[in-house]
Amino acid sequence: MHEYDVTLKTILMRPGSLLLSTLTGTSGLKWLNVELPKVNNRRLDLLGQNADGDLFGIELQSRNERRFLFRMGTYLFATAERYGKLPRQVVLYVGAEPLRMKTSIDVPDLRYRFHTVDVRDLDGDALLRSPHVGDNVIAVLTAIGGEPKNLRRILKRIAACRPADRAGALSELLILAGLRKLRPEIVREVKKMPILDDFVDDEVFGPLILRGRAEGRVEGRVEGRAEGQMDLVVGQIAKRFGRLRPELRKRLHSLKPDELTAVGLRLFDARTVDDLFVN
């Protein structure tokens, strides 16, 4: 999960992260080198230390892993070996599948557990209210993150960022949205937003917005011509046969442009309204 891993780490390591506070109970950590003794190239995702010297090992996981419990145990003792104390371990699960991994061992002579948080169980509304855009972006992974109104809230917060920060936040949102297959929905929401100009210069959304505007102009011209053709045919039928019944109007509006043209041509020979629809 390399791109997700990097994005989540970046957000967690920013000062003031509500997500970090929720996971560890502390608002700030000093981040340490997480390279552990070289046995099977073990490397923690994040290792931090608070002002009291307590260690926090944070692992990011996007799928259920059968031997994950044993890997966490390896991290626990490897960290203690290097830093001289056992860390508190927290796992943030961001996978699409329900969390099924074991998080504890309780056998004779050994009791071990670590804290696991499924991102869907986090308070999405609190993350959306956070003044930190990284928290707003993380909200896309929560239970309410896929709702159109909440996607719009996230995009509005990103649009309000400084231009220098906007591109990074957009990139993070698109990467994390991939975990929930929400990228198409985000693109659609961007196209509908009244703040499109805030995204026009973005390398991801800019081309989509400009193309959407061009398509909208073409669609508008096509729709205008179709509506004009409909008005003309309806007027001709009314002049020939009198006022149109509602069911006839409905039938006419269901026709494709080429079918409507054929109806107009049949007006020259039709004796009754029903003759207009005879092939």
Side-chain angles (χ1 to χ4, degrees):
M1 66 174 243
H2 178 67
E3 63 176 358
Y4 308 130
D5 188 71
V6 172
T7 298
L8 289 165
K9 286 180 183 179
T10 301
I11 292 173
L12 278 165
M13 294 174 73
R14 287 185 187 134
S17 168
L18 175 62
L19 177 63
L20 177 66
S21 177
T22 301
L23 294 178
T24 65
T26 183
S27 59
L29 295 174
K30 174 185 176 182
W31 300 106
L32 307 175
N33 183 349
V34 293
E35 197 74 51
L36 299 177
K38 293 187 178 180
V39 179
N40 296 326
N41 194 30
R42 291 173 297 196
R43 187 174 179 86
L44 282 166
D45 281 331
L46 288 170
L47 181 66
Q49 188 173 38
N50 66 11
D52 295 327
D54 299 321
L55 296 177
F56 294 83
I58 303 174
E59 195 69 13
L60 308 168
Q61 191 71 8
S62 66
R63 61 185 178 86
N64 288 291
E65 186 179 323
R66 188 168 59 88
R67 299 179 64 82
F68 183 71
L69 178 63
F70 302 131
R71 178 155 65 90
M72 289 297 293
T74 300
Y75 289 160
L76 178 80
F77 292 110
T79 301
E81 180 183 356
R82 172 157 186 174
Y83 294 97
K85 61 171 56 180
L86 292 169
R88 291 178 54 187
Q89 293 182 299
V90 182
V91 175
L92 178 63
Y93 179 74
V94 297
E97 297 294 323
L99 175 61
R100 296 189 299 270
M101 294 182 294
K102 293 182 178 180
T103 61
S104 65
I105 297 174
D106 192 353
V107 296
D109 302 323
L110 177 63
R111 180 176 295 173
Y112 164 64
R113 69 179 297 275
F114 52 85
H115 184 49
T116 302
V117 175
D118 188 328
V119 71
R120 278 168 293 221
D121 295 332
L122 294 177
D123 187 342
D125 198 55
L127 289 168
L128 288 167
R129 292 195 308 268
S130 170
H132 299 282
V133 71
D135 293 323
N136 309 149
V137 169
I138 286 288
V140 77
L141 298 176
T142 65
I144 66 171
E147 298 176 11
K149 64 177 182 179
N150 291 326
L151 292 178
R152 289 192 290 271
R153 288 175 70 183
I154 297 170
L155 288 167
K156 287 178 181 177
R157 284 302 312 278
I158 292 174
C161 290
R162 296 180 305 168
D165 299 329
R166 193 180 299 144
L170 273 172
S171 177
E172 290 168 357
L173 177 62
L174 282 173
I175 288 171
L176 295 186
L179 286 166
R180 297 292 182 267
K181 300 186 178 354
L182 288 172
R183 288 176 183 171
E185 283 78 359
I186 289 173
V187 172
R188 281 197 292 271
E189 289 300 328
V190 167
K191 288 182 177 180
K192 294 188 295 184
M193 292 175 69
I195 53 173
L196 286 182
D197 289 339
D198 293 311
F199 296 99
V200 166
D201 294 330
D202 181 73
E203 62 181 12
V204 175
F205 284 110
L208 292 170
I209 293 166
L210 295 175
R211 187 171 71 237
R213 286 175 174 173
E215 290 171 352
R217 286 193 292 270
V218 172
E219 289 172 3
R221 288 196 293 269
V222 171
E223 290 174 1
R225 287 197 296 269
E227 289 175 3
Q229 182 187 15
M230 177 65 69
D231 291 341
L232 178 61
V233 172
V234 168
Q236 290 173 335
I237 295 173
K239 185 175 181 179
R240 177 77 184 275
F241 297 107
R243 187 174 180 180
L244 275 62
R245 302 187 305 274
E247 58 267 28
L248 179 58
R249 286 183 177 275
K250 184 175 180 181
R251 186 172 182 182
L252 286 169
H253 280 282
S254 69
L255 297 178
K256 297 177 181 177
D258 56 336
E259 294 172 331
L260 193 60
T261 299
V263 167
L265 292 173
R266 292 191 195 108
L267 265 170
F268 293 103
D269 302 314
R271 295 182 179 179
T272 68
V273 171
D274 292 335
D275 291 340
L276 298 174
F277 302 95
V278 177
N279 294 327

